[in-house]
Amino acid sequence: MAVDGDKLQELINKMFGDVGAAMGAALVLLGDKFGFYKTLAAGGPLTPAELASKTGTVERYVREWASAQAAAGYINYDAAAGRFSISPEQALVLADENGPAFFPAMYEIAAAAIRDEPKVANVFRNGGGVGWHEHDPCLFRGTERFFRPGYAMHLVSEWIPALDGVKQKLERGARVADVGCGHGASVILMARAFPKSKFFGFDYHQPSIDRAREAAREAGVADRATFERATAKDYPGTFDLVAFFDCLHDMGDPVGAAAHVKSSLAKDGTWMVVEPFGNDRLEDNLNPIGRVFYAASTMICVPGSLSQEVGLGLGTQAGETRLTEVLKAGGFSRVRRATATPFNLVLEARP
């Protein structure tokens, strides 16, 4: 086969950039861990010595870190002053943990994928799966920190109002289950917004339940937000609203989970399913967002599903049509798209 030299160089340049990004993931984690971004946002521009002094770190390492981050375009360097700074846009993405665009947490998820590569390589060869609980702990922390800003931006203001009559129920006082709740970020957001309602978070991962309880106490909502260890097919109770946030595709038996949701709904109850946004056709997902989602699906989501009973392996880019089929197979005859963002699809399901 003849090789096109220009296309070869284009691919090499792309991969060189990708390797730089991959190696830079560790640097973002260091910047987040030591508060370099937040310190630059609060008091920059700074020399490496000043940044090291303010963060209790060693200047020589900080100098190299800052140089790499400036080369990446994550922070800025003033050659005349010998100082590094961070722009408002860079600070919003890298330093504002409660803002709408905080991104270092995604690097924690990427780090978990790299650290767990030997486990995933084993199931590539031998079959089976890798359970959520078997991953590096930074996956659990990174997932909560990454998804929380998006939930804070959309959940109460857009997603719940898009459901037929649900906001009004929550304002009057309703019972809500959040299944696959993780560290409880979505439960806490809803509990703050709707103080007359009661919220119940369920997750099979006990360390996540422990952290969710702690977070609810810290947020002052422990009186109306409780957390218990349970799976999507055996959680107890009857609810006006059941919510699944970015977890249905991780389940081995999402049809069985759907059937259990149906049995747990009160009369005229609603199931809200929030999933990563994916188009129905693979070719329509071949873009930067699809690249991230397919990678996460390969390393985390599909192995998680295949580690469980049934092992349907929906994957993060299942698409609206496939998700709707699963919900209907579980007994929900009325399924509609409530709303969507570039990253999330929100489905409303009723029996």
Side-chain angles (χ1 to χ4, degrees):
M1 295 175 63
V3 174
D4 185 314
D6 291 337
K7 290 182 178 179
L8 174 63
Q9 190 59 51
E10 181 182 356
L11 179 59
I12 289 172
N13 291 343
K14 175 178 173 54
M15 297 190 74
F16 200 84
D18 288 349
V19 170
M23 294 183 70
L27 304 186
V28 173
L29 294 178
L30 290 170
D32 184 44
K33 177 181 291 186
F34 292 120
F36 294 152
Y37 302 119
K38 292 177 181 177
T39 302
L40 284 170
L46 298 171
T47 66
E50 290 168 338
L51 181 55
S53 176
K54 288 178 178 290
T55 56
T57 53
V58 177
E59 184 274 340
R60 183 64 188 90
Y61 288 107
V62 172
R63 190 195 329 160
E64 215 69 8
W65 174 89
S67 299
Q69 292 293 275
Y74 289 1
I75 64 175
N76 308 302
Y77 178 61
D78 182 341
R83 293 174 181 272
F84 294 89
S85 63
I86 193 167
S87 70
E89 297 77 20
Q90 291 165 337
L92 187 64
V93 172
L94 292 162
D96 186 357
E97 191 161 350
N98 294 314
F102 184 68
F103 221 82
M106 179 57 86
Y107 288 81
E108 289 193 281
I109 298 172
I114 294 170
R115 293 169 185 173
D116 294 331
E117 180 271 334
K119 296 178 181 178
V120 178
N122 181 63
V123 298
F124 261 74
R125 184 174 294 109
N126 301 312
V130 180
W132 177 261
H133 61 284
E134 297 179 87
H135 283 281
D136 188 275
C138 70
L139 175 61
F140 318 135
R141 180 178 61 248
T143 298
E144 189 272 334
R145 295 176 76 212
F146 178 73
F147 282 102
R148 175 162 39 87
Y151 295 163
M153 178 180 292
H154 299 291
L155 174 55
V156 173
S157 62
E158 298 174 33
W159 296 347
I160 289 176
L163 305 174
D164 187 18
V166 170
K167 180 182 178 183
Q168 293 76 15
K169 286 184 180 180
L170 297 180
E171 289 171 339
R172 292 192 299 267
R175 287 172 54 87
V176 180
D178 185 335
V179 180
C181 65
H183 287 189
S186 46
V187 172
I188 291 168
L189 286 167
M190 292 187 289
R192 281 175 166 167
F194 303 104
K196 293 183 180 180
S197 292
K198 296 291 185 181
F199 299 88
F200 303 83
F202 300 106
D203 201 293
Y204 92 96
H205 186 237
Q206 186 62 49
S208 291
I209 290 295
D210 295 339
R211 174 58 192 140
R213 289 170 177 166
E214 180 182 4
R217 288 193 295 269
E218 293 170 352
V221 296
D223 61 323
R224 54 187 181 276
T226 60
F227 298 90
E228 298 294 337
R229 184 178 183 275
T231 75
K233 292 171 64 175
D234 67 10
Y235 66 86
T238 302
F239 304 96
D240 302 291
L241 172 67
V242 174
F244 280 38
F245 293 98
D246 294 291
C247 64
L248 182 70
H249 65 274
D250 294 310
M251 296 177 185
D253 183 13
V255 174
H260 185 68
V261 172
K262 181 182 177 184
S263 72
S264 74
L265 283 177
K267 184 179 180 180
D268 198 31
T270 301
W271 185 18
M272 175 171 62
V273 179
V274 179
E275 279 286 294
F277 186 91
N279 295 296
D280 291 328
R281 302 188 306 171
L282 186 155
E283 57 266 35
D284 294 330
N285 294 320
L286 301 182
N287 52 56
I289 295 175
R291 179 188 186 188
V292 172
F293 282 157
Y294 279 126
S297 192
T298 304
M299 299 302 294
I300 301 166
C301 306
V302 167
S305 177
L306 297 186
S307 74
Q308 304 168 50
E309 74 285 355
V310 181
L312 190 62
L314 280 176
T316 61
Q317 297 285 268
E320 186 172 355
T321 298
R322 183 72 181 103
L323 291 169
T324 299
E325 290 172 353
V326 167
L327 271 55
K328 289 188 174 181
F332 287 84
S333 59
R334 294 174 291 168
V335 180
R336 72 175 183 93
R337 179 192 291 199
T339 187
T341 73
F343 295 103
N344 287 105
L345 171 69
V346 182
L347 299 177
E348 178 184 26
R350 296 173 184 268

